[in-house]
Amino acid sequence: MTSLRPWREIAVPHEDVLKGTFQQAEFAADLSRVHKGTASPEYRDPALFFKRTYITEGMRLLLDSVVKRITGQGGDPVIQLQTAFGGGKTHTMLAVYHLARGAVPVADLQGIPPILDAAGVIDLPKARVVVIDGTKLSPNMPETRGNVRVRTMWGDLAWQLGGEEAYERIREADESGTSPGKETLAALIAQYSPCVILIDELVAYIRQFDEKTRLAGGTYDSNITFMQALTEALKAVPTAVLLASLPESDQEAGSQRGVNALRTLEHYFARVQALWKPVAAEEAFEIVRRRLFADITNTTAVESVCRSFAELYIASGAEFPRETQESRYYQRLFKAYPIHPEIFDRLYEDWSSLENFQRTRGVLKLMAKVIHRLWKDGNNDYLIMPGSLPLYDGNTRNEAIYYLPPGWDPVVERDIDGDRAETTEIESRDTRFGSVQACRRVARTVFLGSAPGTPNRMMQGIEQERVLLGSVQPGQQTSVYRDALHRLSDRLYYLNSTENRYWFDTRPNLRREMEERKKRFDEKEDVLPAIAEGVKKAVTKGIFDGIHTFTQSGDIPDDSALRLIVLPPHAHYGKREVQMATVCATEYLKRRGDQPRHRQNRLIFLAADADNVRLLTDHVRSMLAWESIVWDYKDKRIVLDNLMGDNAANSLEIARRTVARTIRETYRWLLVPVQEFEGGRVSPEVAWEDYSINPGAERPVEEIERVLKENEALITEWAPIHLANQLKRWSWTDETSDMKAGDFWENTCRYLYLPRLLNRDVLKRTIEAGADTKDYFGLAAGKDGEKYIDFTFGKGRRSIVVDDSLLLIEPTAATAYEESIRPPETSDTLSPVDPSSDGSEAPDGSGVVTVGPSSGGMAPKPPGAQPVKTRFYGRVEVDPITAKMTFSQIVDEVVAQFTSRPGTAVAIKIEISAVDTKGFDENLQRAVRENGTLLKFKSAEFEME
């Protein structure tokens, strides 16, 4: 959307982030270094520290308590900061440190004046601040402070409160390693109050003590006793406060001694502590933004971007998670800007569960590298989203996978991001995905949401709607990213999916096994039969008498049946590559095995598209590989968990559907052979008409039929005038005025320049339609010399048989013949008949018999009338190899003509003669006689010549 501005034009990173000059350690607040004055400016300088620090609600309450305590207005004497690793404990102590020391005016500390106003404090007194860092102290290495050697925590406490003077009050306890009593500590603290005592990493120090060994710093018990006495002493000093940090989990406590120390300290602190958890989840937005970005002044532009995202989510509600439909999600977008809230959700909810991922500090370190790289590369996204993460950058990738178990580097490099990643390869071939980096954005989002595992979710992986949430921007189509996700689930090695959830894993998914198995399948033995099977399922019989898929030419009969020949994949066709298919099809036309083929006009060819053959072959190999995996799993030849087994079955089903679809997309060229008639002669060369069929048709054979009919490459209904025109052109000449219908049908089967009729019935219906008029042809049932048998012209005939006895007579010749056989005209007056005459002879002996109305008997035949034929006898020799089929044709074409006439007596006799000079053995003779008896042979005998 052109009206929106990218994040880089609104939010500018701090200088160190912008230039990439930051160090990892800068994000680790170090209380001791700040106390010594050696920390970086953003931590050492109070004004800069508060400028980059977002005061959370928890921190505000804690600072309010500290302010009240050091001004004697109440507040908690002991505050325990117990949060997860990287949860902001040390950062909170730094806020208290700078506030209590009063090194700069309070007015210069951003966010502090409102806290003082709320507490009713006008002038905040400077307090003495004691910093004890458990990771800096050594239990058995005393430190020299001025003229004294400090050995214990209480010795260090006294020194920092009041130097040598204060130390002298507890010198004996320090040198002996025994804890001073609470009264002594209370008096000491009261003398130097107001004061703030900050103890960081307390467990890290105490767990170093062995209960059986005395060290310079005392014993385990003496240190525990000191902490108990210190917490009790602080209750007696109204202007002193103690802040101590304890780890939240046993894992952070370290060894078993650390866990024991944590449990003991928790027990004593629980008696006086105010337990505080510093950072709420959504407050992390502002913490990270202040640390990484300069102040954002163009809030109108920010609102416009956030509003567009919120409207996108509402407009496509079903595509995105439910929480995006709530009005408060806009507020989340605004607070997190320029980082999408989904990044924070995944890092704080999922990544923070990793053992060494420090919550706020880890987020800062990762996002600093992300922002630096995106700024350097000119990223123009509206928000920094999970799909924006530049995992192609080595520094960013290393920072991310540093927190993960080993094995993630090849996952990112091969499947997710980078020049060699599969996502990049897919986008380079498909501009629909490449124009918006859909594949890479989707893969990055899935990585961020699934790489840490599923510690806080019942099911593995993230849902499709959450993937879209992390990838899609305003003005883009969600369908593009959804399609990209589905494409990746088919292609990537390490991406897993089930029930609309997706996740990456360091273990290759079954796709790698499938890819390896693909190489095992032989093209001739495995791939071609699978393609043939798929074609047979896609292209059923329909209008064709036979469909021959990858069949040898010798196995395709040379008869009048209409046949569709499906050419093998290597005989493909394309507008730029026509040779392979037409050369192969020409061989089918010319020959049937070793013999010439005569009925060429009964063959139509279906060829594969040249551009799709390789894709089809690859999809078939994938299907075969998935089939082998599923079979091996069912037969227990490989071990898979239930999820992987289900995934394999689902992948097989998807592969089968893909193959079926690709077959329809590939086998889409109809090739029809023709010979052109130009200039009064037939071209000797075969030409090929190509027609593309719609691959989306549900029934391909019906689509083939439609294309052939529309282009008149196959005639299913024919007008008589077209038949008459063909007869005029090819059959009726000055010498021959009639044509056998059977010969004409045979010619349409043979010659490519004649129309291609669906079957003999088309010609039959055409002749029957044309018989009603004298415009097209006359008909006869045969010819005896110059006389036509059963001649009709314009009177209509039904139930004709298209064979060699049926003649189609040229209309002019039919008219002339009709005139020649018309009987001469006679008088209307009849001579009277003698009633006594038997009619056999005229009274005058002239030989003319006149029949009257009352003659009473059969009227005599008129002179010259043809005798009626009342008997038929036919004899035919049948090839014993094809006898079954031939006899069936004889019954259909000849016998049926008689049996369909009432009153016609039909008898069929079969004569079988077999001769073998070697003679017939007894077994054969017995079998023939028995079978002959069962079939009621009148004679079944063997004899010698």
Side-chain angles (χ1 to χ4, degrees):
M1 300 175 68
T2 55
S3 61
L4 300 182
R5 297 174 63 182
W7 68 268
R8 61 184 292 110
E9 296 181 8
I10 303 172
V12 179
H14 285 308
E15 194 72 15
D16 56 348
V17 179
L18 195 64
K19 294 182 177 180
T21 57
F22 54 82
Q23 301 293 325
Q24 289 189 8
E26 291 182 0
F27 291 113
D30 190 321
L31 189 60
S32 295
R33 290 181 58 192
V34 172
H35 191 47
K36 291 181 179 180
T38 59
S40 57
E42 61 264 28
Y43 290 112
R44 187 181 69 251
D45 184 335
L48 185 56
F49 173 82
F50 278 104
K51 185 178 181 181
R52 294 193 178 185
T53 296
Y54 173 68
I55 298 178
T56 64
E57 180 64 16
M59 184 182 292
R60 185 189 67 78
L61 294 174
L62 183 143
L63 293 177
D64 177 77
S65 179
V66 170
V67 167
K68 290 178 178 178
R69 188 69 182 173
I70 61 180
T71 55
Q73 300 180 29
D76 298 307
V78 177
I79 300 174
Q80 179 204 141
L81 304 178
Q82 188 173 35
T83 65
F85 191 39
K89 300 185 296 288
T90 306
H91 202 89
T92 302
M93 286 188 173
L94 279 176
V96 173
Y97 176 86
H98 287 304
L99 176 64
R101 286 183 71 239
V104 298
V106 171
D108 294 342
L109 305 182
Q110 184 173 324
I112 295 301
I115 295 176
L116 297 182
D117 292 343
V121 175
I122 299 176
D123 186 18
L124 183 68
K126 292 183 179 181
R128 297 177 185 268
V129 179
V130 176
V131 175
I132 298 176
D133 189 340
T135 61
K136 295 294 188 293
L137 290 179
S138 173
N140 207 34
M141 294 182 64
E143 291 189 17
T144 301
R145 303 286 181 86
N147 296 320
V148 301
R149 287 172 62 80
V150 176
R151 297 169 176 80
T152 62
M153 275 196 297
W154 45 95
D156 196 16
L157 169 67
W159 171 264
Q160 291 190 51
L161 281 174
E164 290 187 25
E165 178 183 347
Y167 177 77
E168 287 299 328
R169 300 183 64 171
I170 54 100
R171 173 190 288 273
E172 184 177 346
D174 181 63
E175 291 177 346
S176 64
T178 57
S179 172
K182 67 177 180 179
E183 298 297 336
T184 302
L185 288 173
L188 178 65
I189 293 171
Q191 183 178 350
Y192 297 101
S193 63
C195 69
V196 174
I197 302 171
L198 304 175
I199 303 179
D200 197 10
E201 303 293 350
L202 178 58
V203 170
Y205 177 72
I206 294 181
R207 70 187 176 196
Q208 299 178 72
F209 288 90
D210 188 337
E211 296 179 358
K212 299 180 180 179
T213 306
R214 175 180 292 275
L215 302 177
T219 64
Y220 176 86
D221 289 336
S222 64
N223 279 272
I224 293 296
T225 301
F226 165 70
M227 292 307 306
Q228 181 183 4
L230 180 62
T231 56
E232 293 291 336
L234 284 163
K235 291 192 296 183
V237 184
T239 55
V241 61
L242 166 67
L243 277 76
S245 69
L246 296 179
E248 187 178 49
S249 66
D250 292 353
Q251 188 175 25
E252 294 176 57
S255 65
Q256 185 59 46
R257 281 205 303 271
V259 173
N260 294 337
L262 175 60
R263 292 288 174 268
T264 304
L265 290 171
E266 284 177 337
H267 172 70
Y268 290 123
F269 271 89
R271 297 168 62 184
V272 290
Q273 71 178 1
L275 184 63
W276 174 76
K277 302 205 173 207
V279 180
E282 299 212 359
E283 291 173 329
F285 297 171
E286 189 66 25
I287 293 173
V288 173
R289 180 162 68 181
R290 286 206 183 192
R291 177 58 187 88
L292 299 179
F293 292 94
D295 290 342
I296 297 174
T297 57
N298 192 346
T299 56
T300 302
V302 174
E303 290 174 352
S304 179
V305 170
C306 296
R307 185 70 64 190
S308 296
F309 273 91
E311 290 173 353
L312 166 67
Y313 300 148
I314 293 174
S316 304
E319 301 275 12
F320 296 101
R322 184 177 302 173
E323 68 261 24
T324 62
Q325 308 305 299
E326 302 173 2
S327 58
R328 70 185 189 93
Y329 200 78
Y330 165 77
Q331 296 298 329
R332 297 195 76 211
L333 287 163
F334 187 82
K335 290 180 180 179
Y337 186 90
I339 300 172
H340 196 286
E342 184 67 8
I343 288 185
F344 288 109
D345 288 346
R346 299 284 66 77
L347 292 178
Y348 276 88
E349 292 178 17
D350 301 335
W351 287 70
S352 63
S353 65
L354 296 173
E355 178 180 350
N356 55 347
F357 187 86
Q358 304 172 4
R359 286 172 62 87
T360 303
R361 189 184 306 172
V363 173
L364 285 170
K365 289 169 62 179
L366 177 60
M367 293 309 300
K369 294 190 176 183
V370 167
I371 294 164
H372 168 70
R373 185 66 193 195
L374 292 178
W375 184 275
K376 181 179 178 181
D377 292 346
N379 178 267
N380 281 316
D381 289 348
Y382 300 132
L383 288 176
I384 299 173
M385 307 174 68
S388 310
L389 300 181
L391 296 175
Y392 57 85
D393 173 56
N395 288 333
T396 304
R397 182 174 67 248
N398 291 340
E399 180 66 27
I401 66 177
Y402 169 78
Y403 304 106
L404 301 173
W408 278 96
D409 196 64
V411 178
V412 176
E413 187 172 350
R414 192 194 190 289
D415 271 10
I416 302 175
D417 209 351
D419 293 338
R420 294 183 293 177
E422 185 69 21
T423 50
T424 306
E425 175 66 19
I426 295 173
E427 290 176 351
S428 68
R429 294 196 303 267
D430 193 329
T431 56
R432 180 168 173 257
F433 297 149
S435 61
V436 293
Q437 292 190 357
C439 293
R440 277 176 281 181
R441 291 178 69 85
V442 162
R444 295 163 184 163
T445 303
V446 174
F447 168 79
L448 183 68
S450 65
T454 54
N456 300 317
R457 293 193 295 271
M458 295 297 293
M459 299 180 66
Q460 194 167 16
I462 61 173
E463 307 90 334
Q464 176 178 288
E465 53 264 29
R466 202 159 288 282
V467 177
L468 296 178
L469 177 65
S471 306
V472 184
Q473 299 190 86
Q476 297 176 344
Q477 298 294 323
T478 57
S479 60
V480 175
Y481 291 90
R482 189 170 57 248
D483 293 347
L485 180 59
H486 296 164
R487 178 76 63 85
L488 295 186
S489 66
D490 288 337
R491 295 287 299 275
L492 300 188
Y493 276 12
Y494 296 98
L495 179 62
N496 298 270
S497 63
T498 185
E499 297 181 358
N500 209 37
R501 302 180 73 89
Y502 300 84
W503 69 94
F504 282 106
D505 199 322
T506 54
R507 297 175 300 173
N509 59 25
L510 286 172
R511 183 160 303 281
R512 171 167 289 182
E513 174 69 14
M514 183 274 293
E515 292 290 344
E516 292 297 325
R517 293 192 179 209
K518 282 172 64 174
K519 303 172 186 177
R520 305 178 188 176
F521 297 101
D522 180 77
E523 183 164 346
K524 183 177 180 181
E525 298 295 328
D526 303 306
V527 177
L528 281 180
I531 295 177
E533 185 65 24
V535 172
K536 290 175 183 177
K537 291 180 180 179
V539 185
T540 52
K541 189 175 181 181
I543 60 172
F544 295 98
D545 297 301
I547 296 179
H548 306 274
T549 305
F550 310 165
T551 307
Q552 297 292 330
S553 64
D555 296 330
I556 300 175
D558 185 13
D559 54 19
S560 62
L562 182 66
R563 302 184 184 278
L564 179 68
I565 312 300
V566 183
L567 300 176
H570 72 269
H572 46 67
Y573 185 81
K575 290 298 186 181
R576 300 181 303 277
E577 303 179 39
V578 300
Q579 295 299 319
M580 299 297 291
T582 55
V583 167
C584 181
T586 300
E587 288 300 313
Y588 279 93
L589 279 181
K590 289 182 177 180
R591 309 193 68 79
R592 179 195 176 192
D594 296 333
Q595 302 297 319
R597 185 177 295 277
H598 300 292
R599 296 176 178 85
Q600 298 181 354
N601 209 27
R602 304 307 291 163
L603 302 185
I604 295 173
F605 298 88
L606 181 63
D609 183 77
D611 295 333
N612 281 1
V613 167
R614 182 173 298 179
L615 181 63
L616 173 60
T617 301
D618 185 69
H619 285 335
V620 169
R621 288 183 181 276
S622 297
M623 181 188 71
L624 294 174
W626 283 121
E627 283 181 347
S628 69
I629 291 173
V630 171
W631 292 339
D632 286 351
Y633 171 59
K634 290 181 178 178
D635 293 341
K636 295 181 172 53
R637 287 193 291 268
I638 60 174
V639 178
L640 305 174
D641 57 35
N642 292 338
L643 180 59
M644 296 178 74
D646 291 342
N647 286 344
N650 292 336
S651 297
L652 173 57
E653 184 60 30
I654 292 172
R656 286 172 173 166
R657 291 198 299 266
T658 302
V659 167
R661 183 188 69 248
T662 310
I663 283 176
R664 293 194 298 271
E665 294 171 350
T666 301
Y667 276 90
R668 65 184 188 89
W669 288 109
L670 280 174
L671 302 180
V672 180
V674 295
Q675 282 180 290
E676 302 294 339
F677 179 75
E678 296 179 357
R681 61 186 295 272
V682 176
S683 171
E685 299 297 328
V686 175
W688 293 92
E689 295 179 344
D690 57 57
Y691 306 108
S692 178
I693 63 175
N694 179 13
E698 292 185 7
R699 288 180 52 80
V701 72
E702 293 179 357
E703 172 68 5
I704 291 172
E705 179 181 356
R706 182 191 66 79
V707 171
L708 291 174
K709 286 181 180 179
E710 289 183 356
N711 292 279
E712 297 184 352
L714 181 65
I715 296 173
T716 58
E717 296 294 335
W718 207 25
I721 189 173
H722 298 311
L723 171 58
N725 289 337
Q726 291 295 329
L727 291 169
K728 289 176 184 178
R729 174 179 292 179
W730 304 110
S731 304
W732 294 332
T733 65
D734 294 338
E735 293 80 16
T736 306
S737 58
D738 54 53
M739 175 68 178
K740 294 179 179 179
D743 286 348
F744 181 81
W745 163 249
E746 181 65 20
N747 289 345
T748 65
C749 295
R750 283 173 169 265
Y751 304 120
L752 298 175
Y753 53 82
L754 290 178
R756 182 179 294 100
L757 306 182
L758 174 62
N759 50 37
R760 193 187 294 259
D761 284 343
V762 175
L763 180 58
K764 174 180 179 293
R765 292 193 298 271
T766 304
I767 295 172
E768 290 175 345
D772 291 336
T773 177
K774 294 183 177 183
D775 296 336
Y776 308 120
F777 41 74
L779 296 177
K783 196 172 185 181
D784 185 6
E786 296 300 322
K787 296 180 179 180
Y788 288 111
I789 302 171
D790 196 13
F791 171 81
T792 59
F793 188 42
K795 295 182 180 179
R797 291 177 69 155
R798 294 294 179 266
S799 302
I800 67 168
V801 178
V802 178
D803 57 12
D804 289 347
S805 64
L806 179 64
L807 298 179
L808 303 170
I809 307 169
E810 194 272 331
T812 303
T815 301
Y817 183 75
E818 185 182 46
E819 291 296 327
S820 71
I821 64 172
R822 187 185 303 275
E825 295 183 0
T826 59
S827 174
D828 293 338
T829 304
L830 297 177
S831 301
V833 179
D834 183 358
S836 62
S837 170
D838 59 5
S840 61
E841 185 178 349
D844 58 2
S846 64
V848 178
V849 179
T850 303
V851 181
S854 59
S855 61
M858 293 292 293
K861 297 177 182 178
Q866 294 288 340
V868 177
K869 296 178 180 179
T870 60
R871 182 180 295 277
F872 167 80
Y873 174 76
R875 184 172 182 272
V876 63
E877 291 188 3
V878 177
D879 185 341
I881 303 301
T882 60
K884 185 176 181 179
M885 181 177 67
T886 304
F887 191 74
S888 175
Q889 292 176 331
I890 291 171
V891 172
D892 291 340
E893 306 292 341
V894 177
V895 177
Q897 304 298 323
F898 299 117
T899 57
S900 63
R901 294 169 59 94
T904 302
V906 181
I908 301 174
K909 298 179 180 180
I910 301 176
E911 292 185 5
I912 303 173
S913 175
V915 178
D916 190 339
T917 57
K918 298 188 296 294
F920 301 111
D921 59 45
E922 289 298 329
N923 290 334
L924 184 142
Q925 293 182 42
R926 182 172 61 256
V928 170
R929 289 193 186 98
E930 291 176 355
N931 291 338
T933 301
L934 291 173
L935 296 173
K936 298 182 179 180
F937 274 43
K938 291 186 176 180
S939 174
E941 299 297 334
F942 291 86
E943 60 184 22
M944 295 183 292
E945 293 186 341

